[in-house]
Amino acid sequence: MNWFPQYNFILASKSPRRQQLLKSLNIDFDVITKEVDEIYPEGLQREEIPVFLAELKSKPFIPELSDGDLLITADTVVCLGNSVLGKPRDYDEAFAMLENLSGKEHQVITGVCISSNKKMHSFYSLSNVRFKKLLRPEIEYYITEFKPYDKAGAYGIQEWIGTIGITHIEGSFYNVMGLPIQKLYEEIQKF
């Protein structure tokens, strides 16, 4: 089946989770990355932040895209109330993030941008996630063993902490992993 027009897919992400999820669509794609300072302007609504960053990540590629290329960029943030949690810089920051998420519901928002050399389309997906009250030794073990410094909110839902700690999820599981693959599938078909 040809679910999509014949694109040359490019995923601009080092994330092994995003690469794994895109592979699940059964398409061939290249992974190409460029360094981008992930800085966003103050005053954005929390849903706008990952969309802004996904679009920012696409900008260095746009002049280089050929006819038939389809670029996919994404960014994920974790929100607890009005606080936006990015990736922790170190053990202490990771511990503080997980301690703050413990026993509470938070939102995971992934912004996605799909671009060609002719147009760009962006969207986001939001999932509600609730952790049980995490014990201090559980947080310490997870950070020490899994080193979640490349993950927004200092955790991966598919890892040990998600298995033992997440009591409820509303929305896309894959969005929490970093790429709302079902929504991306639909958006590519409309693109």
Side-chain angles (χ1 to χ4, degrees):
M1 296 287 297
N2 291 324
W3 300 107
F4 307 125
Q6 293 302 303
Y7 292 119
N8 302 313
F9 289 96
I10 301 164
L11 176 65
S13 177
K14 294 178 193 170
S15 164
R17 294 158 304 279
R18 288 193 181 118
Q19 293 171 25
Q20 173 194 353
L21 289 170
L22 193 57
K23 280 180 190 166
S24 72
L25 286 184
N26 245 7
I27 58 173
D28 293 323
F29 61 93
D30 294 312
V31 175
I32 304 172
T33 61
K34 294 182 186 239
E35 292 301 315
V36 174
D37 288 331
E38 297 181 20
I39 299 169
Y40 56 88
E42 288 186 35
L44 292 179
Q45 298 295 317
R46 59 189 197 156
E47 294 85 4
E48 295 172 322
I49 294 168
V51 171
F52 177 89
L53 292 172
E55 290 175 355
L56 185 69
K57 290 176 181 181
S58 73
K59 289 184 179 167
F61 292 92
I62 301 296
E64 301 170 8
L65 293 178
S66 301
D67 289 346
D69 287 347
L70 188 79
L71 175 72
I72 302 166
T73 54
D75 193 83
T76 302
V77 296
V78 171
C79 300
L80 181 61
N82 291 324
S83 297
V84 176
L85 309 178
K87 298 170 186 168
R89 289 185 290 264
D90 55 31
Y91 181 95
D92 292 338
E93 196 168 12
F95 189 92
M97 285 182 184
L98 288 170
E99 195 171 49
N100 283 336
L101 294 172
S102 175
K104 299 178 190 140
E105 185 172 275
H106 62 277
Q107 289 71 46
V108 178
I109 308 167
T110 300
V112 180
C113 179
I114 51 179
S115 309
S116 69
N117 60 359
K118 295 178 178 60
K119 61 182 176 173
M120 175 188 284
H121 173 65
S122 302
F123 60 93
Y124 72 89
S125 180
L126 185 149
S127 302
N128 292 305
V129 180
R130 178 176 286 280
F131 270 111
K132 74 175 186 106
K133 186 73 176 154
L134 297 167
L135 303 175
R136 183 179 188 92
E138 292 171 335
I139 296 172
E140 291 169 346
Y141 170 79
Y142 175 67
I143 297 170
T144 302
E145 293 297 315
F146 291 86
K147 300 175 181 31
Y149 307 116
D150 64 335
K151 296 172 179 69
Y155 79 91
I157 191 171
Q158 72 283 359
E159 294 178 338
W160 184 83
I161 199 83
T163 304
I164 66 102
I166 292 175
T167 62
H168 179 79
I169 178 170
E170 181 183 334
S172 168
F173 174 88
Y174 300 112
N175 177 56
V176 184
M177 275 182 73
L179 195 63
I181 199 70
Q182 187 275 330
K183 191 165 185 175
L184 175 61
Y185 172 79
E186 290 189 349
E187 296 295 336
I188 291 172
Q189 287 182 318
K190 293 188 280 188
F191 190 77

